[in-house]
Amino acid sequence: MAMPFDTDIDEAAREAAELVRSPFALPEDLKIDRRHWIAGAIGLGGAALLAPMWLSAAQASDNTPQSPHTFKRWTEVFKPKALAKGVSSETYDRTMAWIKPDTGVYAFDRSQPELQEPIWRYLGRRVNEWRINTGRERMKQHEALWDRLEAAYPCDRYIMCALWGMESAFGDVITNSKFMRPVLNSLAALAWGMERRRPYWEQEMINALIIVEKGWATPEQMIGSWAGAMGHTQWMPEVWLNMGVDFDRDGKIYPFGRPDDALAGTARYLATRGKFQKGQPWGYEVKVPRGFDASLADRKTRMSIGSWSGRGITRADGKGFESNDWQATLWLPAGVKGPGFLLTQNFSAIRSYNPSSKYALAIAHLADRIKGSGGFIQPWPTNERQLSLVELQELQQRLTAMGFDTGGTDGRVGDMTQRAVQAWQNQVGM
C-alpha cells in the first residue's frame, strides 16, 4: 500500500498507516465532569455519540531492537531469502555493504502521542488554501497528462491531483533531506530489529532490493519516509514493483522526477486494488432526518442510494442524487451533530491507498475544492472536547468487561470500538 506523507511532518510522515480514531461527545443536556460521565455512561446508560479523532498508527513495539553488532549476522541469515526471490548475490552484497541501519526508526514505530486531532481539525490543516490553489495550478500545468491518465485508467483527475497534494505537496518535498531519509537504511533496520511485523518488513526489504536489481534506482536514489514510502505519491517498494507503470516511456519505472510514472502507478493501484468506478462520485454530504436509526451508519450496511433516500436521507445541498442505483454506506463521523456522508465504492478506493477514513475524506474534499466546490454545508461540533487516551482506554476496558469486543483496550478506537459502543447503545435502548 502507499504511505501517507504531510509537509507538516506530523503523524502522517511517521505512520505506516493512519487508522480511524473515535472519541465520544457529551450529550448537550448532560453538563457533568467528563471522567465521571464515562463511568456513568457505560454503567448506567448515558449517551455517547461517535466523532473520529487522530492518534498515531505507529504501534508501540514489544520488541527491543537488537544491538547494532548483530546486524552483519542478520544480513548473512537474510541473504538466502533475498536470493530465493530473485536478488543476485552481487546486488545483495554490494547493497548491504552500503547500508547503515537507521535505528532512529524505532522511535517512530513506538510513537504513541497523547495529542488527539478531531476530524474537523485534521481536514482544516490538510484541505488548506495552499493545497487548493496549488492543485488548481497543477491541473492546468499537467492537463495533457491528466487526459492521458483518464484515457488509460478508470480514474478521476481531481482525486488523483488531491492525492498527489496530500502525499508529497505535489512533489515539492520528495527529495528534501529534512523530511526524507534513505529508504534501504530504514527498511533494513525494521527488518532486522523489529520483531513485530518482521515478515512484512523483510518482504519490503526484498522488494526494494529487487528494484535495485532491475536497475530502476540506486540505493542512493531511494529516499522517503521512515517506513519506506517514496516519490510523488509515496509508494512502498511493493507498490513500486507491482503497480508501477513506465508512463513516460523512458525505459524504467520511477516515482521521482517527472510525476508521470507515479501518478499512473497510483491510478492503476486505485483501479486494480481499489476497484475505482469511473464516472461515480466518491459520495455526498447528506442530512439525516430526526429520529433516524443511527445503527445503520455502521459503514457496513450497504444499500442503494434510492434505499437511503427512502429512509429520509437527502443531499445537504438540496440537489437530487445522480443515480439511485449506486451502492453506498452511511458515515456520521461526528455523530448526528455534524455532517453526514453517503459513501460509494470510490471512497473505498481512496481508502485502499491508506486505511484511514479521515485521510480518504480529506482527499475527496480536497478534490472537490480543487474542482471549484465550496466547503462542507453543515457545521462540525467544534465545541466538543475529545477524550484523552487514558479515557478512551477506560471506555474500552468497561465495554470489554461487559462483553462487547472493542478489538483491544489500547485507546486506538477504530471500527470495532465504534460497533461495540453502538451495540451497547442498542442494548440499553438508545
Side-chain angles (χ1 to χ4, degrees):
M1 62 174 285
M3 302 298 295
F5 181 78
D6 192 273
T7 53
D8 295 325
I9 303 307
D10 55 5
E11 79 283 4
R14 299 184 171 94
E15 293 171 358
E18 283 185 279
L19 302 178
V20 183
R21 314 299 178 207
S22 304
F24 298 84
L26 274 172
E28 292 180 348
D29 59 347
L30 211 56
K31 306 300 183 183
I32 59 176
D33 178 75
R34 184 59 164 240
R35 188 169 180 81
H36 291 167
W37 174 76
I38 295 174
I42 297 299
L44 301 175
L49 299 176
L50 299 178
M53 64 168 188
W54 169 82
L55 277 175
S56 171
Q59 299 178 8
S61 173
D62 295 328
N63 178 67
T64 301
Q66 301 176 37
S67 57
H69 73 271
T70 65
F71 179 71
K72 186 176 186 300
R73 173 57 183 158
W74 174 82
T75 64
E76 296 170 351
V77 173
F78 184 59
K79 184 175 181 177
K81 296 182 181 179
L83 267 57
K85 294 295 181 69
V87 179
S88 70
S89 181
E90 189 277 331
T91 295
Y92 186 89
D93 292 341
R94 172 169 46 84
T95 304
M96 285 300 178
W98 176 87
I99 287 175
K100 296 179 180 178
D102 183 357
T103 55
V105 300
Y106 302 138
F108 291 145
D109 183 82
R110 290 192 298 268
S111 176
Q112 197 168 192
E114 289 282 341
L115 294 177
Q116 303 164 4
E117 189 172 32
I119 189 168
W120 48 88
R121 190 173 302 137
Y122 178 95
L123 293 169
R125 292 178 61 220
R126 288 156 180 80
V127 186
N128 54 42
E129 187 176 2
W130 182 86
R131 277 199 176 102
I132 295 168
N133 292 337
T134 305
R136 290 171 179 171
E137 292 173 4
R138 296 296 186 271
M139 292 303 301
K140 296 177 182 177
Q141 180 183 355
H142 297 283
E143 185 175 3
L145 176 58
W146 302 123
D147 289 342
R148 289 178 57 216
L149 286 168
E150 288 190 332
Y153 300 99
C155 64
D156 178 277
R157 65 181 64 197
Y158 293 99
I159 287 178
M160 293 293 300
C161 187
L163 190 149
W164 184 20
M166 281 282 288
E167 292 292 349
S168 70
F170 306 100
D172 282 0
V173 297
I174 58 176
T175 58
N176 191 321
S177 60
K178 179 181 178 181
F179 305 130
M180 302 298 180
R181 59 184 66 210
V183 161
L184 282 162
N185 288 345
S186 298
L187 291 176
L190 291 163
W192 156 56
M194 296 304 299
E195 182 177 351
R196 185 183 64 81
R197 297 185 71 205
R198 174 167 287 144
Y200 170 79
W201 296 122
E202 287 186 345
Q203 184 56 56
E204 287 292 20
M205 183 67 188
I206 291 172
N207 292 334
L209 289 168
I210 293 174
I211 290 168
V212 175
E213 180 75 33
K214 287 178 174 290
W216 291 351
T218 65
E220 293 86 351
Q221 291 171 321
M222 299 170 70
I223 60 173
S225 73
W226 73 267
M230 296 168 278
H232 287 278
T233 50
Q234 291 293 278
W235 289 351
M236 287 299 288
E238 186 275 332
V239 175
W240 185 345
L241 194 61
N242 296 308
M243 289 285 110
V245 180
D246 181 12
F247 208 60
D248 60 8
R249 301 181 179 90
D250 66 352
K252 65 178 180 180
I253 298 171
Y254 198 59
F256 303 96
R258 295 170 57 183
D260 303 43
D261 289 3
L263 291 171
T266 299
R268 182 185 178 192
Y269 183 103
L270 294 177
T272 304
R273 298 185 180 178
K275 309 300 181 186
F276 192 92
Q277 303 296 308
K278 193 167 186 175
Q280 189 175 108
W282 61 265
Y284 302 93
E285 183 186 351
V286 296
K287 292 183 178 180
V288 177
R290 184 178 297 275
F292 181 80
D293 181 4
S295 68
L296 294 174
D298 59 3
R299 298 288 305 283
K300 288 185 174 296
T301 300
R302 183 175 296 274
M303 64 180 81
S304 70
I305 287 180
S307 296
W308 287 113
S309 183
R311 286 169 169 76
I313 301 294
T314 59
R315 286 182 62 167
D317 59 11
K319 298 179 181 178
F321 297 105
E322 288 95 335
S323 172
N324 286 324
D325 296 330
W326 291 328
Q327 295 292 303
T329 60
L330 179 63
W331 183 31
L332 303 176
V336 296
K337 295 183 180 181
F341 302 94
L342 277 184
L343 306 174
T344 71
Q345 173 58 34
N346 285 350
F347 188 87
S348 299
I350 300 170
R351 197 171 180 271
S352 75
Y353 205 73
N354 180 319
S356 162
S357 293
K358 287 197 295 188
Y359 170 90
L361 184 60
I363 295 290
H365 188 47
L366 178 57
D368 287 347
R369 297 300 306 277
I370 291 172
K371 193 173 183 178
S373 299
F376 296 116
I377 295 172
Q378 300 164 101
W380 294 99
T382 55
N383 62 332
E384 297 289 355
R385 184 179 77 80
Q386 310 305 300
L387 295 191
S388 70
L389 178 62
V390 171
E391 290 170 331
L392 285 168
Q393 288 173 325
E394 180 180 346
L395 182 64
Q396 291 172 323
Q397 290 164 1
R398 289 175 177 269
L399 284 166
T400 300
M402 295 172 65
F404 300 101
D405 186 6
T406 62
T409 58
D410 57 3
R412 292 187 171 95
V413 183
D415 290 341
M416 291 185 70
T417 297
Q418 292 187 37
R419 287 196 292 272
V421 171
Q422 288 176 332
W424 168 76
Q425 290 174 326
N426 289 334
Q427 186 182 85
V428 298
M430 293 175 56

